[in-house]
Amino acid sequence: MNRSVFVVLPVYNEGRVVASAIAPLLDRGYTAVAVDDGSTDDTWPIIRSLPIHSLRHPVNLGQGAALQTGMTYALEHGAEYIVHFDADGQHRVEDVDVLLEPLRKKEADVVLGSRFLRDEDRRAVPPVRRMLLKGGVIFNGLLTRVWLTDAHNGFRAMTREAAATIGLRENRFAHASEILIQFRRNRLRVVERPTAIIYTDRSQAKGQSSLNAIKIVVDMILRRIFR
Amino acid sequence: MRPVQFILIVLLLFVIYVYFSRLRSGLLDRLIVLLFAAVGIVMTVVPDLTTRIANFVGVGRGVDLFFYLTLLGLAFMCLLLYSKIRDLEATITDLARAVAIKKAKPPSSDTPRVPDNN
């Protein structure tokens, strides 16, 4: 029954980490779809050798584009549920089922992971990041009119029908706001579930800096002007 | 004719030459470029004319009016280029996506199982 759960992992220059992130997913019987977003290192040979669906963008396009490619592919291959999962090991495999539960009970079309629903998860977020994320929550709420407790978590699950209504055009990080707009426009039922985030040095280092937050805002504003 | 007028006209003619010899463009584009070039040459040859137009709209010197118009034009071009780039990006994304999906490797294709019963 887990085979129709397609876990989409956008990957960029982190092949080795992905290999270890994918093993527990396969143990649980999920179908993994890794989308190499035009990596310049040995990521592609590594994920190609794994027993998963592996795709590769010939050029680097951004995380949003990789997610959309993975979703389109998963829908074409009979996915019943689609999960967005971070390849760098910051999401816990156990939480996939937590996100799927409301979908299986038909109580929601989209389930988003949140670091701000349980005290222990909240405390695990570094204070500076916590403030930045709260700013993101407000920004997203104003922009998308979807009010959540967390921003740019990246851990999402949705039904096949919901995923089919999504078409991300925002290639880079602004896709996280764009997808919320589409959830609302397509009248999907969105709920949040508590998920833990594992902050490794690695995910800290490559995680979104404050500068990225500004870039996202600029991207979104320009997009509003131009379409 | 002052030296600067001569230099400007030569440069302008050179740009026109390059445009017509290197770039293939539609008739309308060529006409617009020709029009702009003609205006440019007239403005160079008769600077007083631009100054009179500038005075008419309330700008002191012809050069200043020209400067303002150039800034506006550049800003407009930036926006135009930006939206062109976005369109291009969307096209590249569609292409890359199609290639990625077409060349996707499913889980088992690397180790094809040979049936045992033969």
Side-chain angles (χ1 to χ4, degrees), chain A residues 226, chain B residues 71-85:
Chain A
F226 282 96
Chain B
L71 268 185
L72 270 178
L74 280 179
F76 178 70
M77 257 175 59
C78 279
L79 289 181
L80 210 70
L81 279 177
Y82 178 76
S83 69
K84 282 230 159 166
I85 288 173

Side-chain angles (χ1 to χ4, degrees), chain A residues 159-174:
Chain A
T159 61
R160 171 186 186 79
E161 293 73 23
T165 67
I166 299 300
L168 294 176
R169 301 175 45 88
E170 210 59 66
N171 280 355
R172 283 167 294 273
F173 281 113

Side-chain angles (χ1 to χ4, degrees), chain A:
Chain A
M1 143 182 208
N2 277 350
R3 279 196 53 185
S4 61
V5 176
F6 279 54
V7 180
V8 176
L9 305 105
V11 194
Y12 183 61
N13 285 352
E14 46 191 7
R16 276 163 222 290
V17 194
V18 173
S20 56
I22 279 169
L25 288 170
L26 296 180
D27 287 346
R28 289 179 175 246
Y30 300 123
T31 301
V33 179
V35 183
D36 175 10
D37 191 19
S39 295
T40 50
D41 61 1
D42 56 352
T43 294
W44 177 237
I46 292 174
I47 62 172
R48 230 189 108 83
S49 67
L50 298 170
I52 59 171
H53 295 275
S54 40
L55 288 75
R56 175 170 164 84
H57 284 163
V59 287
N60 177 249
L61 295 171
Q63 197 188 33
L67 277 174
Q68 184 59 54
T69 299
M71 280 198 287
T72 305
Y73 179 86
L75 288 173
E76 283 176 11
H77 286 76
E80 279 309 313
Y81 301 103
I82 291 179
V83 178
H84 295 177
F85 197 80
D86 247 35
D88 60 7
Q90 62 166 306
H91 293 145
R92 294 193 320 167
V93 177
E94 301 90 294
D95 286 339
V96 173
D97 271 333
V98 174
L99 292 195
L100 288 174
E101 198 203 304
L103 301 179
R104 288 186 160 136
K105 287 186 179 161
K106 312 247 179 269
E107 290 169 0
D109 305 306
V110 178
V111 185
L112 305 176
S114 171
R115 289 160 277 193
F116 293 93
L117 292 176
R118 278 187 309 221
D119 258 348
E120 63 263 36
D121 300 337
R122 185 180 304 128
R123 276 196 297 271
V125 183
V128 178
R129 170 92 31 118
R130 218 180 297 169
M131 279 167 54
L132 202 66
L133 287 171
K134 280 298 169 191
V137 164
I138 294 168
F139 174 75
N140 270 342
L142 292 173
L143 184 84
T144 68
R145 280 175 277 160
V146 179
W147 291 92
L148 302 170
T149 60
D150 198 357
H152 288 269
N153 181 300
F155 202 176
R156 314 178 182 94
M158 59 192 90
T159 61
R160 171 186 186 79
E161 293 73 23
T165 67
I166 299 300
L168 294 176
R169 301 175 45 88
E170 210 59 66
N171 280 355
R172 283 167 294 273
F173 281 113
H175 73 268
S177 302
E178 188 191 18
I179 202 169
L180 296 180
I181 295 177
Q182 298 193 1
F183 289 157
R184 189 177 56 81
R185 262 193 212 141
N186 303 331
R187 297 174 199 284
L188 301 177
R189 292 168 300 163
V190 180
V191 300
E192 288 185 299
R193 281 290 179 272
T195 53
I197 290 274
I198 306 154
Y199 278 103
T200 58
D201 288 347
R202 192 190 159 75
S203 63
Q204 285 268 50
K206 80 146 212 168
Q208 299 190 22
S209 65
S210 330
L211 198 68
N212 246 332
I214 296 167
K215 277 194 206 151
I216 292 168
V217 175
V218 172
D219 260 14
M220 289 308 292
I221 291 170
L222 285 175
R223 172 37 61 99
R224 283 256 133 156
I225 296 170
F226 282 96
R227 204 176 297 266

